[in-house]
Amino acid sequence: MAAQETMVKRTLIALAAALVASAGWGLGARESTALSPDSMAFPGVRPSPFASLLRHGGSVAVVYADRDTTSLRVIEIPVDGALPKEAPRPVFVDKVDIVSPLGGSFGLHASAVVDGRLHLLYLDREKEDRPLLKRVREDAGGWRLELVEPFGPPVGVLVGVDGRPMDVWAPGSLLLRGETTNLVLRERCVPRGQAVLLDPERETPSSGFGFWDDAAGELVVVLNGPEGVQSSAMSGVGPVFALAETPDRGLAAATFDPGSRRILLLERDAGGGPFRQTTVTVCDGTNGLFLAWTPSGWLFVYDEVRSTPPGRWSWELVILSPGPRTSGRPRYRRSVLSSDPSLLSGFRALITDGSIFILEMRDELRLLKTAAP
C-alpha cells in the first residue's frame, strides 16, 4: 500500500510539473540565469519616485528630480558602447520645489521628444500655497519655459498632425491642450503616479500612453492616431501594468493579478474586438512591469518581491524573454538583472538598437544595460 501511495504521489507531481511547464509558469530561482549587465551609478543623487527614460537622438535620456537640490535634471548617455561607471554631469532644467518638507508629488512630470527636442511638463511649488504646472522645451539657448493653466498634475505629451506638442493634464478633468481651446477627454479624472508610454523607444511622436484613474478605479488608455486623440477605459487590468503596441498596431497590456499571483497578458488586434487573456508566469508580488514586442515574441521586465527567510525580503529585477516555441503557449526564459534587500520602488525600461536599458529606482538611481534577446 505504501509503495502504491508513493507511486501515486510521484505521478501527481509529474503531472503537475508537466502542466506548469506547458503553461509557461513556475520558472523558479533555480531555473533563472543571473545576468551581468553594464551598470552606471548616479553618485550623490537622492531621487524622487518619478523618472523618465526615453530615446533622444543617438542617446538615451534620463529625466529625474533630485531631493537634495530640489531640481529637475536630465542626463544623456550614448546608445552605442558600454555604459560609463558614473553618470555624466546632468543638465539643470529647473528648481521645482523650495518649500520643506517635499510633497508626495515632488518630481512628477511627463516627457516626450518633439521634433528632436525634449519637451517636459512638470509640477513646481514656488510657495507652500502656490503650486504651478510648467512646460519647458529644449531651445538653442537652453530651455524655453511657459506656465500651463488651469493647474493640475501632468499626464502626458502627444504631438498633433501639425507637429506641435499637445499637453495632457488633469485639473479635475482630463484635458488636451488645443490651438484655441482645451479638449475634455474625461469629465472627472484623478491620475495615480506617472503615465506609461506605449513606445518609449520611438523618436517619432508617441502613439499614446496609459494611466490608472483613481476616480473611476480603472486603466485609461489615450491613443493618438489618424482619427485624432481618443481615450477609453480598459477592463481586466489593475494598477500595476505595462502597455505596448502589437505587431499589427493593436494594443497589448501586461498586468499583475494579486489574487492569483500571476502576471497576465491581454492582446487585441488593430481591428478592435475583445482582448485575449493568457497567463505569463507566477509572481510573488511586483511594483512595476514593462512590455515590448521582439521578433521572438513578447518580452517582460518586472520586479519581484521574494521572501528570503528568516523574515527578510529581496527585490529582484527580472527579464522574462521568449524562448523557442514549438506548440501551445510560449515558454519564457527567466533572467535576473539584480537582487538586493533594499526596496525597489520602481523602474523604467526601453529597448533600442539591440539593447535593453533599465533605470533602477531604489534609494539611489542606477542605469543598467544588457543585450536584448
Side-chain angles (χ1 to χ4, degrees):
M1 180 66 70
Q4 288 181 337
E5 289 180 354
T6 300
M7 183 175 295
V8 169
K9 288 180 180 178
R10 288 177 177 174
T11 302
L12 290 174
I13 290 172
L15 287 172
L19 288 171
V20 167
S22 66
W25 306 341
L27 303 177
R30 286 177 296 178
E31 297 178 71
S32 300
T33 301
L35 299 179
S36 299
D38 285 351
S39 175
M40 186 185 79
F42 290 68
V45 173
R46 290 198 309 122
S48 81
F50 310 109
S52 295
L53 184 66
L54 62 165
R55 180 70 185 258
H56 185 207
S59 301
V60 169
V62 179
V63 184
Y64 67 95
D66 177 34
R67 292 183 179 276
D68 289 334
T69 61
T70 63
S71 62
L72 191 66
R73 300 181 169 213
V74 176
I75 283 178
E76 296 202 27
I77 304 95
V79 171
D80 296 333
L83 292 178
K85 295 299 182 184
E86 293 188 355
R89 185 180 180 87
V91 175
F92 175 85
V93 178
D94 194 7
K95 196 171 182 68
V96 293
D97 206 324
I98 60 172
V99 180
S100 183
L102 300 177
S105 59
F106 167 71
L108 181 61
H109 66 273
S111 60
V113 175
V114 181
D115 195 23
R117 298 179 183 272
L118 278 174
H119 183 106
L120 307 177
L121 189 67
Y122 62 94
L123 293 182
D124 191 357
R125 191 169 60 147
E126 291 186 347
K127 297 180 180 179
E128 189 171 359
D129 60 347
R130 194 189 178 200
L132 303 172
L133 179 62
K134 292 182 177 180
R135 173 196 310 118
V136 295
R137 287 177 286 173
E138 270 188 312
D139 195 276
W143 298 96
R144 181 179 175 184
L145 187 149
E146 301 173 69
L147 290 180
V148 178
E149 294 182 333
F151 168 79
V155 180
V157 179
L158 299 172
V159 180
V161 292
D162 57 0
R164 294 186 179 183
M166 299 185 296
D167 301 324
V168 182
W169 75 108
S173 56
L174 187 65
L175 297 183
L176 172 71
R177 182 191 181 205
E179 278 294 316
T180 57
T181 185
N182 297 324
L183 175 66
V184 178
L185 298 178
R186 290 174 73 86
E187 290 293 341
R188 186 166 180 266
C189 183
V190 182
R192 181 189 299 184
Q194 277 185 294
V196 174
L197 294 177
L198 266 74
D199 39 25
E201 77 289 346
R202 182 182 293 182
E203 292 185 81
T204 53
S206 172
S207 56
F209 54 82
F211 63 91
W212 185 260
D213 181 10
D214 277 332
E218 60 189 8
L219 174 66
V220 175
V221 179
V222 178
L223 298 177
N224 186 19
E227 299 178 356
V229 178
Q230 299 179 339
S231 70
S232 61
M234 183 174 176
S235 60
V237 180
V240 179
F241 68 93
L243 293 173
E245 284 186 332
T246 63
D248 68 345
R249 303 301 296 273
L251 183 64
T255 188
F256 175 64
D257 177 23
S260 63
R261 294 173 49 246
R262 285 173 169 80
I263 293 176
L264 307 175
L265 174 66
L266 292 84
E267 300 173 88
R268 184 180 67 188
D269 298 330
F275 281 91
R276 304 180 300 276
Q277 178 179 299
T278 55
T279 296
V280 178
T281 189
V282 173
C283 177
D284 288 338
T286 181
N287 295 319
L289 284 161
F290 170 76
L291 176 66
W293 178 259
T294 72
S296 301
W298 289 109
L299 178 143
F300 304 80
V301 181
Y302 61 97
D303 62 286
E304 182 167 10
V305 186
R306 299 179 69 89
S307 175
T308 54
R312 297 185 179 182
W313 301 91
S314 177
W315 277 263
E316 292 183 348
L317 194 54
V318 176
I319 295 178
L320 213 59
S321 54
R325 184 170 182 173
T326 53
S327 62
R329 294 182 179 180
R331 296 297 310 278
Y332 295 97
R333 296 187 296 265
R334 187 180 190 274
S335 303
V336 178
L337 277 165
S338 66
S339 180
D340 197 280
S342 62
L343 172 66
L344 181 63
S345 59
F347 69 89
R348 304 290 181 265
L350 65 83
I351 299 178
T352 186
D353 288 11
S355 296
I356 306 176
F357 291 84
I358 300 177
L359 183 66
E360 188 181 60
M361 302 162 66
R362 299 183 189 265
D363 293 335
E364 298 178 344
L365 291 178
R366 188 168 65 138
L367 184 65
L368 306 175
K369 178 184 180 182
T370 190

